[in-house]
Amino acid sequence: DAFEADWLALREPFDHAARSLVLARRLVQRLKQRPQIVDLGAGTGSMFRYLAPIIGSRQDWLLVDADTRLLDEAFGRTAAWARRRGFTAMATGDELQIATPQGLWRMEVAVADMGEELPLSTAADAVVCSALLDLVSAQWLDRLIDRLHAPFLASLIVDGRDTWRPRDPHDARPRAAFRRDQFRDKGTGRALGPTAWAYALRSLAARGFVTASAPSDWHIPRSALGMQRALIEGRGEHDPRWQEARLRQALRGRLAITIGHRDILAFPPGG
């Protein structure tokens, strides 16, 4: 499935607030100097903008996505983000270089169909992804794990929990429709949806990985009208009455939403 850059920009601050800082720091503690990071389903580079400052030191990133439009956005958005922080950012060919007081951060991009072979080099020091695993099939995820030889951090995996406050007696229908869509084939086979995080932990453990997990829920407050509107319109696509009622609540500042996610971290056997 394709995602719009505007949607990714809208959700980015909620993503950054939700991700498990504890797991991110545990990964960073195990990385060598100047690590090479592969970011799968990287979109416009949100994971880079979250994790690169936590790593801090010199680092090289390869952003992988099937959507060339989003990868094109990644350089521009990341360069603007870096300059707002007082860093120097310069694009040279297929590479973005960000000069920071801690060292040079390098970003490259690669277009790859997620249904086909992924560019996973054995030289990678970590593989990361965000909001990806619930979109892929069990077969795809098993193939990925079979090729992992480095620490793996997967964040923002939808886990099926969601709370809309106040409750509405008509919540069940759009929730059921949304749940069916979560399991829809999105290009790699029947998607794992909210079962992905538990399936991934079992699959990793079966191959000897040492795993950890932590909640990374979205908390959408009453003041976040733009994000609320996007969630309401997406979930209420086939239920106009429910959609209208929820939009009225959002406009009046009466709605708060929590969407459950999990982050997982895995270290390879002996790693």
Side-chain angles (χ1 to χ4, degrees), residues 12 94 185 191-192 204 220 246 269:
E12 183 163 338
D94 296 330
D185 184 345
L192 283 163
L204 287 159
I220 316 299
R246 285 303 197 184

Side-chain angles (χ1 to χ4, degrees), residues 6-64:
D6 288 346
W7 161 242
L8 298 180
L10 180 64
R11 65 175 286 170
E12 183 163 338
F14 300 96
D15 288 349
H16 284 204
R19 291 187 182 104
S20 171
L21 185 58
V22 170
L23 294 188
R25 285 174 170 165
R26 282 182 61 183
L27 171 67
V28 169
Q29 288 171 357
R30 299 282 288 271
L31 295 178
K32 69 176 189 181
Q33 292 295 315
R34 192 176 179 178
Q36 298 183 41
I37 314 294
V38 176
D39 184 2
L40 301 177
T44 64
S46 175
M47 192 65 161
F48 176 96
R49 294 187 287 274
Y50 173 78
L51 193 56
I54 300 174
I55 297 172
S57 61
R58 297 175 65 193
Q59 53 195 282
D60 299 332
W61 283 67
L62 178 65
L63 274 59
V64 181

Side-chain angles (χ1 to χ4, degrees), residues 40-260:
L40 301 177
T44 64
S46 175
M47 192 65 161
F48 176 96
R49 294 187 287 274
Y50 173 78
L51 193 56
I54 300 174
I55 297 172
S57 61
R58 297 175 65 193
Q59 53 195 282
D60 299 332
W61 283 67
L62 178 65
L63 274 59
V64 181
D65 203 284
D67 193 328
T68 56
R69 300 170 307 145
L70 298 182
L71 292 177
D72 287 344
E73 288 263 354
F75 274 21
R77 292 192 182 210
T78 305
W81 166 87
R83 289 165 184 146
R84 287 194 298 270
R85 284 155 179 75
F87 303 151
T88 301
M90 180 176 63
T92 59
D94 296 330
E95 179 178 291
L96 177 68
Q97 298 184 356
I98 300 173
T100 79
Q102 292 83 19
L104 187 68
W105 302 350
R106 297 172 59 250
M107 173 194 289
E108 294 181 283
V109 299
V111 179
D113 186 335
M114 288 296 163
E116 298 177 357
E117 196 75 4
L118 294 171
L120 279 185
S121 168
T122 55
D125 298 300
V127 177
V128 301
C129 64
S130 184
L132 176 66
L133 296 194
D134 48 274
L135 304 178
V136 303
S137 67
Q139 295 79 11
W140 186 95
L141 183 53
D142 283 335
R143 288 198 303 271
L144 171 66
I145 294 172
D146 282 338
R147 297 185 60 202
L148 279 177
H149 301 285
F152 179 51
L153 176 65
S155 71
L156 295 167
I157 309 164
V158 173
D159 67 5
R161 296 176 297 115
D162 66 81
T163 305
W164 295 61
R165 298 178 298 274
R167 297 192 178 190
D168 186 294
H170 302 290
D171 282 343
R173 182 179 173 186
R175 179 179 287 119
F178 180 67
R179 184 60 50 82
R180 287 194 298 272
D181 184 74
Q182 286 182 304
F183 290 106
R184 176 175 53 83
D185 184 345
K186 299 173 178 69
T188 66
R190 184 176 186 270
L192 283 163
T195 69
W197 72 275
Y199 184 91
L201 287 176
R202 290 195 302 271
S203 186
L204 287 159
R207 291 161 174 80
F209 282 75
V210 177
T211 63
S213 174
S216 53
D217 298 350
W218 272 349
H219 295 286
I220 316 299
R222 291 173 172 81
S223 58
L225 179 59
M227 187 65 165
Q228 289 187 355
R229 183 188 294 273
L231 293 175
I232 293 166
E233 291 176 350
R235 181 163 295 200
E237 182 180 3
H238 303 297
D239 196 334
R241 183 187 303 177
W242 178 89
Q243 187 179 79
E244 182 179 351
R246 285 303 197 184
L247 282 172
R248 281 199 304 268
Q249 290 175 333
L251 288 167
R252 294 170 183 170
R254 295 184 54 228
L255 181 64
I257 306 170
T258 300
I259 306 293

